[in-house]
Amino acid sequence: MKRIAFRTMGGKYIGYGHIYRCLSLAKAIVKQAITYEIIFIVNDEIKSIVRDSGFKYEVSNDFSDDYEIMNKIGLDFVILDSYLADDFYLKNIRKNSKLMLFDDNNDIYDSEIPDVILNGNIHAKNLDYKTNNSTFFLLGTKYLVMREDYWDDVSTELIKKSGVLITTGGSDSFNISIKILKELSGTDYFKKIVVGPGYTNEAVDEINRLKDNKTTIIMKPNGLKDHINSSEFVITASGSTVYEVISQKTIPIIFSLAENQNTAYKYFQEYGIKTIGIFPDIHYDEIIHALKQASKIDIGELNNLIDGKGALRVAHQIILMLS
């Protein structure tokens, strides 16, 4: 039996994107190799997410504790999805197992260390990765890991799309969704606002206070596909959700919430997607103008780049490597 470990961290301040894409890839692996054993090594804050998904897990709140855990388990393959480790950590992992690195911008780790580098972003092929000729690269939207909702068919039936969906991901440490909602208050737009698992009680109370008869609050959804598909616009950070929005032929309006999103933000800009700024300089007063202009944008070229099957392709490559 082959044994694969996913190492990641997440939570209110780190965010939830890393854990959810790891879970998607884990499910894709199990779908194609049911005898493989999957183990997650995660921090306390997200262990319940892994548990509820049915996977085994070990808790480690510090990367220095991982070596003992991994040696105890005995691993064939480790998949790291975190910005918080370092090259020394990667080298130590490789002493005992193969290593795949989820990467976004080629700005944290030495790309010559991992056996495999996975970057499904739109800009991945334009990053100047170093290679020692043994590293295997899975780059571009062909290998974009999306939730299992999108694997079978990301093309959508013609349904009526209406309103604006607002999402900042699993958490909103800077109350960005509240500021967006305030900007849209009193307008004719129907608004749907996503409240993720990391939202504070204070933020939820404020959203409820701002809610009007054209506002729907979506509490801790298991996925966003149906909500995205039924919306005309989605205002979101320039992370993984943008790809989900494009796949559903819905129009995104984006901001960059973190430094690791800036490169994708600029690439999407070049494709004509409307943008409202890079945190902390988000221009909330430009949202209504962006909504009016966005409906004129044709992003058909982007639609054709995303078929939702990236997780299955990556899983297939991992299985080939371990065969």
Side-chain angles (χ1 to χ4, degrees), residues 194-212:
V194 179
V195 173
Y199 274 55
T200 63
N201 291 333
E202 291 78 12
V204 176
D205 290 342
E206 180 66 6
I207 290 168
N208 276 301
R209 190 185 69 77
L210 291 169
K211 178 183 177 183
D212 57 24

Side-chain angles (χ1 to χ4, degrees), residues 89-139:
Y89 177 85
L90 268 59
K91 290 174 181 175
N92 272 304
I93 298 302
R94 275 207 68 200
K95 290 178 181 177
N96 297 308
S97 68
K98 290 186 178 295
L99 172 66
M100 172 184 277
L101 176 67
F102 264 105
D103 186 68
D104 289 308
N105 293 305
N106 188 27
D107 57 355
I108 297 175
Y109 303 109
D110 180 348
S111 60
E112 292 183 300
I113 299 172
D115 296 281
V116 188
I117 288 182
L118 166 61
N119 186 339
N121 281 294
I122 192 170
H123 57 272
K125 293 181 180 179
N126 294 322
L127 297 174
D128 188 22
Y129 285 107
K130 292 188 299 179
T131 178
N132 56 12
N133 295 320
S134 67
T135 306
F136 188 51
F137 291 90
L138 301 174
L139 304 178

Side-chain angles (χ1 to χ4, degrees), residues 128-223:
D128 188 22
Y129 285 107
K130 292 188 299 179
T131 178
N132 56 12
N133 295 320
S134 67
T135 306
F136 188 51
F137 291 90
L138 301 174
L139 304 178
T141 53
K142 179 180 178 181
Y143 298 106
L144 178 68
V145 173
M146 296 176 69
R147 292 172 64 100
E148 59 270 28
D149 312 21
Y150 299 90
W151 295 351
D152 293 331
D153 184 11
V154 298
S155 64
T156 57
E157 297 179 5
L158 291 176
I159 65 168
K160 182 174 176 58
K161 294 176 181 285
S162 64
V164 182
L165 181 68
I166 302 165
T167 176
T168 60
S171 58
D172 187 6
S173 302
F174 306 108
N175 292 326
I176 290 170
S177 56
I178 291 172
K179 294 169 185 173
I180 295 171
L181 186 58
K182 283 181 179 177
E183 194 64 32
L184 293 175
S185 294
T187 68
D188 291 332
Y189 290 103
F190 285 92
K191 306 166 287 291
K192 294 176 283 187
I193 184 164
V194 179
V195 173
Y199 274 55
T200 63
N201 291 333
E202 291 78 12
V204 176
D205 290 342
E206 180 66 6
I207 290 168
N208 276 301
R209 190 185 69 77
L210 291 169
K211 178 183 177 183
D212 57 24
N213 60 3
K214 292 184 178 179
T215 305
T216 301
I217 300 174
I218 303 167
M219 293 294 297
K220 301 179 183 179
N222 290 326

Side-chain angles (χ1 to χ4, degrees), residues 244-256:
E244 296 180 18
V245 175
I246 293 168
S247 79
Q248 298 306 293
K249 299 179 173 58
T250 297
I251 301 171
I253 294 168
I254 64 173
F255 53 90
S256 179

